[in-house]
Amino acid sequence: MIEFNFGKLRELRKQRHWKQDDVGERMCCSGPNVSKWELGMNQVTASDLARLADIFGVKNMNIFFIKSIGDEKHGK
């Protein structure tokens, strides 16, 4: 099973000294929605995840997951 690493989103945002509203503006949503993503209260869609990766300059989207896609140690 693959789990989203909600803390990674917060970590990337803080590294850039951005507020949740800053990310929300780039994502065309509200700061409170970003907060809910970071807290795991709202699911992040695949299209939102792709957009977040683009905003943060992430080349490998596996960093957003606790168990990496294709990680054979964890089984299928």
Side-chain angles (χ1 to χ4, degrees):
M1 181 175 178
I2 299 170
E3 300 174 40
F4 187 73
N5 183 355
F6 299 100
K8 189 63 174 180
L9 178 56
R10 183 174 191 259
E11 178 185 320
L12 290 169
R13 177 179 61 79
K14 291 225 172 233
Q15 285 175 355
R16 286 158 181 76
H17 306 285
W18 290 350
K19 297 179 182 176
Q20 291 168 334
D21 286 335
D22 297 328
V23 176
E25 184 177 311
R26 289 167 172 82
M27 290 293 296
C28 299
C29 68
S30 67
N33 192 56
V34 174
S35 174
K36 289 179 182 178
W37 286 338
E38 291 180 358
L39 294 171
M41 295 172 65
N42 279 1
Q43 290 186 344
V44 180
T45 66
S47 60
D48 285 340
L49 184 58
R51 192 161 180 193
L52 286 165
D54 186 50
I55 287 169
F56 289 113
V58 171
K59 303 282 186 229
N60 184 348
M61 290 182 20
N62 282 344
I63 70 160
F64 286 115
F65 300 99
I66 294 171
K67 297 176 185 172
S68 297
I69 297 171
D71 188 348
E72 294 179 22
K73 292 187 291 185
H74 294 98
K76 294 181 182 181

